[in-house]
Amino acid sequence: MMKKYTIKDIAQLAGVSKGTIDRVIHNRGNVAKDVENKVKRLLEDINYQPNLIARNLKNNRIYQIGALLPDPKKDAYWEVCTDGINQALSEFSAFDIRLHTMLFDPTDTESFIKSHQQLMTSAPDIILMVPLFYKEAKSVLKNYEEAGIQVCTFNNQIEVSKANFIGQDLYQSGRVAAKLLHTIADKGDMAIIHIDEKYKNAVHMQEKERGFKSYFDDLSGFQDHILKCKIRYTETEDKLRAFLINNSNLKGVFVTNSKAFHVARLLETENKNHIKLVGYDLLAENVNYLKVGVIDFLIHQNPRQQAYLGLKFLIEHLVFEKQIPNKFLLPIDIINSENVTPFLRD
Amino acid sequence: MMKKYTIKDIAQLAGVSKGTIDRVIHNRGNVAKDVENKVKRLLEDINYQPNLIARNLKNNRIYQIGALLPDPKKDAYWEVCTDGINQALSEFSAFDIRLHTMLFDPTDTESFIKSHQQLMTSAPDIILMVPLFYKEAKSVLKNYEEAGIQVCTFNNQIEVSKANFIGQDLYQSGRVAAKLLHTIADKGDMAIIHIDEKYKNAVHMQEKERGFKSYFDDLSGFQDHILKCKIRYTETEDKLRAFLINNSNLKGVFVTNSKAFHVARLLETENKNHIKLVGYDLLAENVNYLKVGVIDFLIHQNPRQQAYLGLKFLIEHLVFEKQIPNKFLLPIDIINSENVTPFLRD
DNA sequence: TTGTATGCGTTATCAC
DNA sequence: GTGATAACGCATACAA
């Protein structure tokens, strides 16, 4: 534990005034070369760390943060994001942070664009967003980039953009699901089910599928045993029932989003309890089926933590000038009926 | 987002000076009753929140924290605690925090007592500790309590003490292990194995055992199928081999601490790969057996996070006067070969 | 090119 | 009982 040097200390050591030290630190110029060098060396030597807290005492700026998020009323998955955002705000309540949130319908690309446009009118310093739709998000992100507005994205990554990203390795989470089904299911067919393809150009489902397949590709004996089924939410019930009944050798099902409860409901009514089921996310409906044993495992994507971290990174960037990590991957949580409870508060 | 009121604002509103407000806030007395009441009501009305940052600017106290921890050189499980502690320290580097760490041998109760005594000589303001040995920890904690020194414990809880605790619900983690084995193992005998009982009056293993049994008690068909085996580390190899070979109907094994790799080694050499294995903790040896499929699941107790949170709570208590939660339970993480990687940095 | 004065919100020490 | 005032570490406007 070393002594903490202040600007005053350094000024004394260098035999100049605090003002000069400040000019050197912030490269404001108007300092004689020899003095500048001397001070710079001194700063290096003692490894000067400014007191970030004191720095912000003076700086009573108002920080404007824009948020472009899916509407929880349209899809319950997003509900917990609000908690994460509120937590971050309360942690930094000492600073004057104004959050402007615009919600969009996660099944509607136009709503995304419209919300984006409206958000821009509040002229935010920096933006937090869920870039749900690949094509639209790409162009929106390009807008921000050109405007020089830093953006932090979460949930799914738009690879081509330079925006920072917080979320999970979706490819790897597909592999986790595969490993789980491989461990628990009897030998037979495995199905990947994509529900609600209204989320059109959504890459995340494809990434999970790629991971899932790659796991079984690494094994022998699973060629031609990986089935696939895409379903629109308008037709879920009937098409799904047909799929489950017609594939008599089906032993495991992987649902690539939070809609596993649709499959669970059918497995229960059709008495197919030999079929193992793995899905995503701790929605109340999923958790119920997990507890009664119809869903075997859920993968937790921790949207609350994603939103929390995203906002926290942005705030720390604004007030402390901290670097935002370009890519921050959360661990992939495996949930069963016995460990689910403490995750519900996350 | 409401306006932030400062003491100056309140002084103006109340028509008195900042000094008086300060005296009211800190109950320093020397304030006329009517003025005091008026100011108190005002503080309530506008929900005054002091700026904790500014408060600590002035308050350049040195905080002495004592830490009583198991020596990572004696048991690799504790290695990652150091990372957690360093993270907390670096997060609060703006404050002058002096950490005095005393290590003890986790197989030796006397070493625990001796380290404790030595720690006391540094007269810490507050203490972070792992109360590994029930009897000894109980008396040590009583000492601290009488001396009025606040303590935060992690890893295992000493129920009779009022000290704050951070860790997992060990009973529940036993249930998680049971559920996992029940899901993946064939019908047959299940064994609970306690390795290294040198950790004598250690309650944590018994708690895990209780949880494990309770899960199977809730089911039918498992009476008389739960076996149990205690092993000293000096005799591990032979006794364990005999146990695994003699119980021919064994289908699943639950190791109650981080020593599952001992069992894994034997399962591999004895070609018993039909026996499923669940254990604890991401030691390098365990992770290796997890990746090759000899260990099926590991439960992650996140010692890094436990140490980090413990120290963080203590520091926030000292500098911000925050309440330390009496009991803080971390989620029980289920780890398999596919999701292990990101947890290794935790 | 450099030093000084002032202020951020809070606390503590004075003098009245 | 009460109200000024200095100080914490840093930033900045302004004077020299």
Side-chain angles (χ1 to χ4, degrees):
Chain A
M1 222 71 38
M2 298 166 304
K3 181 189 180 337
K4 288 202 179 54
Y5 290 91
T6 70
I7 286 191
K8 200 168 127 191
D9 296 327
I10 297 165
Q12 222 155 22
L13 286 171
V16 292
S17 79
K18 299 192 299 176
T20 304
I21 307 294
D22 184 67
R23 277 183 286 265
V24 173
I25 289 174
H26 295 88
N27 293 311
R28 279 196 238 286
N30 285 331
V31 181
K33 285 254 166 55
D34 54 332
V35 179
E36 182 175 344
N37 289 330
K38 186 177 167 188
V39 172
K40 275 191 170 163
R41 204 149 11 85
L42 201 52
L43 288 170
E44 284 277 331
D45 286 353
I46 63 173
N47 184 29
Y48 170 70
Q49 301 290 118
N51 184 328
L52 299 176
I53 284 169
R55 176 174 285 175
N56 279 281
L57 199 52
K58 175 71 180 202
N59 206 14
N60 49 354
R61 256 191 71 190
I62 297 169
Y63 301 101
Q64 311 276 355
I65 301 184
L68 185 55
L69 306 174
D71 190 345
K73 287 202 193 88
K74 306 282 180 175
D75 183 344
Y77 174 73
W78 304 103
E79 277 170 6
V80 288
C81 288
T82 320
D83 303 338
I85 284 174
N86 287 335
Q87 191 192 332
L89 287 178
S90 88
E91 242 169 62
F92 291 94
S93 59
F95 307 97
D96 200 346
I97 291 160
R98 309 275 167 90
L99 184 70
H100 307 268
T101 306
M102 290 300 311
L103 299 176
F104 63 88
D105 180 341
T107 64
D108 179 2
T109 54
E110 283 196 25
S111 142
F112 176 77
I113 298 285
K114 260 216 308 254
S115 292
H116 152 67
Q117 284 162 345
Q118 204 161 352
L119 187 61
M120 289 310 283
T121 64
S122 68
D125 298 318
I126 205 163
I127 283 177
L128 176 71
M129 72 178 279
V130 173
L132 207 53
F133 311 106
Y134 182 73
K135 225 179 60 186
E136 290 76 7
K138 213 172 77 171
S139 97
V140 163
L141 284 169
K142 209 170 137 191
N143 277 358
Y144 291 136
E145 209 171 296
E146 281 163 3
I149 300 180
Q150 165 108 250
V151 180
C152 189
T153 64
F154 69 96
N155 187 67
N156 59 300
Q157 184 169 22
I158 305 298
E159 298 272 1
V160 293
S161 157
K162 274 187 230 126
N164 307 293
F165 168 66
I166 293 155
Q168 277 183 344
D169 183 335
L170 302 177
Y171 173 85
Q172 192 62 32
S173 89
R175 285 187 60 95
V176 170
K179 169 79 183 176
L180 288 172
L181 280 178
H182 181 219
T183 309
I184 64 177
D186 295 330
K187 193 105 191 175
D189 291 345
M190 302 287 165
I192 303 167
I193 301 189
H194 299 300
I195 297 177
D196 274 13
E197 271 299 311
K198 271 272 188 172
Y199 288 15
K200 209 36 177 263
N201 51 42
V203 226
H204 42 289
M205 291 176 181
Q206 281 118 58
E207 275 299 292
K208 291 167 180 171
E209 178 181 328
R210 265 187 58 230
F212 189 84
K213 283 181 173 164
S214 92
Y215 177 87
F216 284 109
D217 282 348
D218 294 352
L219 301 172
S220 60
F222 279 94
Q223 277 66 22
D224 310 321
H225 285 282
I226 308 300
L227 314 177
K228 186 167 152 184
C229 176
K230 285 191 201 178
I231 281 175
R232 277 255 198 89
Y233 74 104
T234 47
E235 57 186 22
T236 303
E237 186 94 342
D238 286 341
K239 187 168 170 191
L240 203 51
R241 181 182 289 112
F243 180 83
L244 295 175
I245 290 175
N246 294 341
N247 291 286
S248 57
N249 195 33
L250 196 58
K251 295 298 194 290
V253 169
F254 170 42
V255 178
T256 55
N257 63 9
S258 60
K259 307 291 199 281
F261 59 89
H262 281 136
V263 178
R265 196 190 302 125
L266 282 168
L267 289 180
E268 201 173 41
T269 57
E270 300 293 324
N271 251 317
K272 297 262 181 198
N273 42 27
H274 64 284
I275 298 182
K276 303 297 179 184
L277 178 54
V278 171
Y280 282 88
D281 305 326
L282 307 183
L283 304 197
E285 286 159 300
N286 284 338
V287 171
N288 288 339
Y289 282 114
L290 185 72
K291 284 188 175 160
V292 297
V294 181
I295 293 178
D296 294 277
F297 287 106
L298 287 169
I299 293 175
H300 181 36
Q301 309 199 73
N302 216 334
R304 182 193 195 287
Q305 182 76 355
Q306 290 188 23
Y308 165 73
L309 281 175
L311 188 48
K312 180 181 156 113
F313 284 150
L314 288 178
I315 295 175
E316 287 184 339
H317 176 72
L318 288 176
V319 302
F320 298 142
E321 286 167 5
K322 271 202 196 173
Q323 269 272 352
I324 303 179
N326 186 256
K327 189 173 186 169
F328 190 91
L329 293 180
L330 291 168
I332 298 166
D333 291 316
I334 298 172
I335 311 295
N336 71 10
S337 59
E338 294 300 321
N339 75 337
V340 65
T341 309
F343 283 100
L344 293 176
R345 66 146 195 240
D346 276 354
Chain B
M1 221 70 40
M2 298 166 305
K3 183 190 178 336
K4 289 200 179 56
Y5 289 93
T6 72
I7 287 192
K8 199 168 130 191
D9 295 327
I10 297 163
Q12 222 154 24
L13 286 171
V16 293
S17 80
K18 299 190 301 176
T20 304
I21 307 294
D22 185 64
R23 276 184 286 266
V24 173
I25 288 174
H26 295 88
N27 292 312
R28 279 195 238 285
N30 285 330
V31 181
K33 285 252 166 55
D34 55 332
V35 180
E36 182 175 342
N37 289 330
K38 185 177 168 188
V39 172
K40 275 192 172 162
R41 202 147 16 85
L42 201 53
L43 288 171
E44 283 279 330
D45 286 353
I46 63 171
N47 184 29
Y48 169 70
Q49 301 293 118
N51 184 329
L52 299 176
I53 285 169
R55 174 174 289 176
N56 279 280
L57 196 53
K58 178 70 182 201
N59 206 15
N60 48 354
R61 256 191 70 190
I62 298 169
Y63 301 101
Q64 311 276 355
I65 301 184
L68 184 55
L69 307 174
D71 189 346
K73 288 202 193 87
K74 307 283 181 176
D75 184 344
Y77 174 72
W78 305 102
E79 277 170 6
V80 288
C81 288
T82 318
D83 302 338
I85 285 175
N86 287 335
Q87 191 193 331
L89 287 178
S90 88
E91 241 170 61
F92 291 93
S93 59
F95 308 98
D96 200 347
I97 290 160
R98 309 276 166 91
L99 184 71
H100 308 269
T101 306
M102 290 298 312
L103 300 175
F104 64 87
D105 180 342
T107 65
D108 179 2
T109 55
E110 284 196 24
S111 141
F112 176 76
I113 298 285
K114 258 213 314 250
S115 291
H116 153 66
Q117 285 162 346
Q118 205 160 350
L119 188 61
M120 288 311 283
T121 66
S122 68
D125 298 318
I126 206 164
I127 283 177
L128 177 71
M129 71 178 280
V130 174
L132 206 53
F133 311 107
Y134 183 72
K135 225 180 62 187
E136 291 75 9
K138 214 172 78 172
S139 95
V140 163
L141 284 169
K142 209 170 137 191
N143 277 357
Y144 290 135
E145 210 172 293
E146 282 163 2
I149 300 179
Q150 165 107 252
V151 180
C152 188
T153 64
F154 69 96
N155 188 65
N156 59 300
Q157 185 169 20
I158 306 298
E159 298 272 1
V160 293
S161 158
K162 276 187 228 123
N164 308 293
F165 168 66
I166 293 154
Q168 276 182 346
D169 183 334
L170 302 177
Y171 173 85
Q172 192 62 32
S173 89
R175 285 187 61 95
V176 170
K179 170 79 183 175
L180 288 172
L181 279 178
H182 181 220
T183 309
I184 63 176
D186 295 330
K187 192 108 191 175
D189 291 345
M190 302 287 166
I192 303 168
I193 301 189
H194 299 300
I195 296 177
D196 275 14
E197 271 300 310
K198 271 270 188 174
Y199 287 16
K200 210 32 179 264
N201 50 43
V203 226
H204 43 288
M205 290 175 182
Q206 281 118 56
E207 275 298 292
K208 290 167 181 172
E209 179 181 326
R210 265 187 57 229
F212 188 84
K213 282 181 174 162
S214 91
Y215 178 87
F216 284 109
D217 282 348
D218 293 353
L219 301 173
S220 61
F222 279 95
Q223 277 67 21
D224 310 320
H225 285 284
I226 308 301
L227 314 177
K228 186 167 150 183
C229 175
K230 286 190 200 177
I231 281 176
R232 278 254 197 86
Y233 73 105
T234 47
E235 58 186 21
T236 304
E237 186 94 341
D238 286 342
K239 188 169 169 188
L240 203 52
R241 182 182 290 111
F243 180 84
L244 295 175
I245 291 174
N246 294 341
N247 291 286
S248 57
N249 195 32
L250 196 59
K251 295 298 194 289
V253 169
F254 170 42
V255 178
T256 55
N257 63 8
S258 60
K259 307 292 198 284
F261 59 89
H262 282 136
V263 178
R265 197 190 302 124
L266 282 167
L267 290 180
E268 201 172 43
T269 56
E270 300 293 323
N271 251 318
K272 297 261 182 198
N273 42 29
H274 64 284
I275 298 182
K276 303 298 179 183
L277 178 55
V278 171
Y280 282 89
D281 306 323
L282 307 183
L283 304 198
E285 285 158 302
N286 284 338
V287 171
N288 288 338
Y289 282 115
L290 185 72
K291 284 188 177 161
V292 297
V294 182
I295 294 178
D296 295 279
F297 287 106
L298 287 169
I299 293 175
H300 182 35
Q301 308 200 74
N302 216 333
R304 183 193 195 286
Q305 182 76 356
Q306 290 188 23
Y308 165 73
L309 281 175
L311 188 49
K312 181 181 155 112
F313 284 151
L314 289 178
I315 295 175
E316 288 184 339
H317 175 72
L318 288 176
V319 303
F320 298 142
E321 286 166 8
K322 270 202 197 175
Q323 268 272 352
I324 304 179
N326 185 256
K327 190 171 184 170
F328 190 91
L329 293 180
L330 291 167
I332 297 167
D333 290 317
I334 298 172
I335 311 294
N336 70 10
S337 58
E338 294 301 322
N339 75 336
V340 65
T341 309
F343 283 100
L344 293 176
R345 65 145 196 241
D346 276 356

